[in-house]
Amino acid sequence: MTIAISIKDLDKTYANGVEALKGVSLEVQQGDFFALLGPNGAGKSTIIGVISTLINKSGGSVEVFGRSVDTHIYETKLDLGVVPQEINFSQFEKVKDIVLTQAGYYGLPRKLARERCEKYLKKLGLWEKRSERSRSLSGGMKRRLMIARALVHEPRLLILDEPTAGVDIELRRSMWNFLTEINADGTTIILTTHYLEEAEQMCRNIAIIDEGEIIENTSMKKLIGELDSQVYILDTANEMNGKPEITIDDVLIHRIDAHSLEVKVPNGQLINEVFKELDKQGLEISSMRNKTNRLEQLFLSRLRNNGND
Ligand code: ADP
């Protein structure tokens, strides 16, 4: 299998002495949907900056599709589409011109550039806005325009730095769908996020970085499987008088109010058994949800283990 990104012992010390990366090693396979997760200041943007040849590293090696970023700057740029956190196109340029200019920068012939521009503006719901100046777009539209621009040369690897920061829930979900679709079509995707739900929804593999060091690097499935319990909130259709008497081992139950319960179920224990018991007591469950995002729980426990608490 081809390796899209190979990072070995990457160090970065900024001019002001901040050690942003301390020996980071990571591999991302071609075709992967990979999350780089971590709190603010952990070093995520610095890693992206080094991969995209915008930040000089202090030590270590970085290869993009088997080629060193030190010696193959042009090839690396062709392979990569990068969506940075900050909106960085001209506010006065028209939407379609922003995409076409980028296509020109990558040397696409005019006809192909126009086709691609139409394709990606349509896919990202911006085609109707093509002749407007970008400053008139909403925040979410600007962010989508950044993605369209990053895709116009159809890079093999798309890197997004906090793609949905400040984007409302509905739009966030449509962006997730879009990214999942282009990943299914073969584009390798790396995203940084501190929206853990985002990583859980989309990504197959994950690395957690904290204070410039990778503290976890595994598959999302495995990580989620490591949680020892899950906490659910159950809403009851009928009113409860007092706490239900549940007799299942290890299940902790806590009444929040007359219509809702918090239930902590250890892994391996079926939630069905809880339902059966509640049913016996005449309680009808009208809805159920996870109390906290599971990844969030795990993330916090990892950071604690790393001495952050
Ligand atoms: P993240 O993207 O995870 O929020 P960054 O990579 O932006 O983290 O930052 C990592 C560390 O490097 C932080 O302590 C940040 O303050 C510092 N840093 C980032 N950019 C610079 C810079 N240009 N000069 C000096 N320090 C920087």
Side-chain angles (χ1 to χ4, degrees), residues 1-8 10 24-37 44 47-48 51 61-67 79-80 156-160 183 186-192 202-208 214 216-219:
M1 200 179 222
T2 312
I3 296 171
I5 295 278
S6 171
I7 299 176
K8 292 200 183 94
L10 180 61
V24 165
S25 294
L26 271 184
E27 266 187 9
V28 177
Q29 304 293 327
Q30 181 164 20
D32 203 355
F33 203 137
F34 190 94
L36 188 57
L37 204 73
K44 304 181 295 294
I47 294 180
I48 289 184
I51 295 172
S61 67
V62 177
E63 289 181 359
V64 176
F65 294 104
R67 291 185 290 235
D79 275 334
L80 282 183
R156 289 196 273 177
L157 173 64
L158 180 66
I159 303 184
L160 305 117
N183 175 246
T187 309
T188 308
I189 299 182
I190 300 177
L191 62 84
T192 76
M202 292 192 290
C203 300
R204 280 188 289 282
N205 290 296
I206 182 169
I208 299 178
I214 302 293
E216 182 71 71
N217 185 3
T218 181
S219 74

Side-chain angles (χ1 to χ4, degrees), residues 240-278:
M240 287 176 284
N241 298 310
K243 184 176 159 179
E245 296 296 323
I246 292 260
T247 53
I248 302 169
D249 297 341
D250 299 333
V251 173
L252 289 177
I253 195 155
H254 168 73
R255 194 173 76 109
I256 301 168
D257 57 40
H259 283 281
S260 44
L261 289 170
E262 183 179 307
V263 184
K264 186 172 179 188
V265 186
N267 274 354
Q269 182 92 54
L270 293 175
I271 182 86
N272 268 358
E273 295 172 34
V274 177
F275 281 130
K276 273 188 218 153
E277 283 298 317
L278 291 171

